[in-house]
Amino acid sequence: MEFPKGSLNLYVTEIGEPSENELRIVVAEGLLGETTAIEFAGHDLGEGRPIEITDASRHFEIRWDSYVAYAVRDESYWKAEEGEPPLGDHLDRRYGTAFQRYVSETTFADDEYPGPLEHWCLTTLNHIVDVISVGPPRVMRRS
């Protein structure tokens, strides 16, 4: 299954290693809630519609059978590298990134062993997850 594209509101709900060096990430689709008054830090921000995970939300599992490295960032602290193209869809393959250079400098993994390395970037409303692997992840829809 291909990961859904478009303007989805996704949240990481689970991340872990079901077995050694296997990475599993579950994301849930946030849906617009009912219009309500919004207050933040004691300030009335007017009315808005919260983004919520509900029983109607779709869930997707993204799984790499093996990986070289991964990093998880709070999306609030993400910043683009100089000259980096903007983030596209929620699950993108990236090229020539600082994370790739970091992994190249701090591991002996290369295109010879374990094989041609790929950088995958998962972008959600609450996290940015970078994964260096040999090949793309498998994506499955969960009920």
Side-chain angles (χ1 to χ4, degrees), residues 26-48:
V26 177
V27 296
E29 178 183 30
L31 303 173
L32 286 177
E34 297 297 319
T35 300
T36 185
I38 306 290
E39 185 178 306
F40 180 75
H43 299 282
D44 180 5
L45 300 178
E47 290 189 339

Side-chain angles (χ1 to χ4, degrees), residues 19-34:
S19 62
E20 190 170 325
N21 296 323
E22 179 181 5
L23 179 60
R24 176 181 174 268
I25 303 171
V26 177
V27 296
E29 178 183 30
L31 303 173
L32 286 177
E34 297 297 319

Side-chain angles (χ1 to χ4, degrees), residues 11-136:
Y11 290 99
V12 171
T13 58
E14 297 177 47
I15 187 165
E17 296 188 30
S19 62
E20 190 170 325
N21 296 323
E22 179 181 5
L23 179 60
R24 176 181 174 268
I25 303 171
V26 177
V27 296
E29 178 183 30
L31 303 173
L32 286 177
E34 297 297 319
T35 300
T36 185
I38 306 290
E39 185 178 306
F40 180 75
H43 299 282
D44 180 5
L45 300 178
E47 290 189 339
R49 295 177 67 188
I51 300 171
E52 304 169 323
I53 298 172
T54 71
D55 291 340
S57 296
R58 295 180 295 170
H59 291 75
F60 300 93
E61 179 178 298
I62 307 158
R63 188 181 292 251
W64 284 266
D65 293 329
S66 66
Y67 66 87
V68 173
Y70 70 93
V72 180
R73 290 178 279 175
D74 176 332
E75 65 79 29
S76 299
Y77 297 100
W78 178 86
K79 73 174 186 176
E81 296 173 43
E82 187 175 320
E84 179 181 28
L87 293 174
D89 289 312
H90 298 287
L91 183 61
D92 280 332
R93 184 164 175 203
R94 308 296 282 172
Y95 299 90
T97 65
F99 188 61
Q100 285 173 301
R101 290 188 297 279
Y102 165 75
V103 170
S104 175
E105 293 290 325
T106 61
T107 72
F108 60 82
D110 61 22
D111 288 345
E112 294 295 318
Y113 178 80
L117 299 177
E118 299 178 355
H119 177 189
W120 291 89
C121 183
L122 173 66
T123 306
T124 69
L125 293 177
N126 59 343
H127 294 89
I128 306 291
V129 183
D130 293 286
V131 180
I132 301 291
S133 65
V134 177

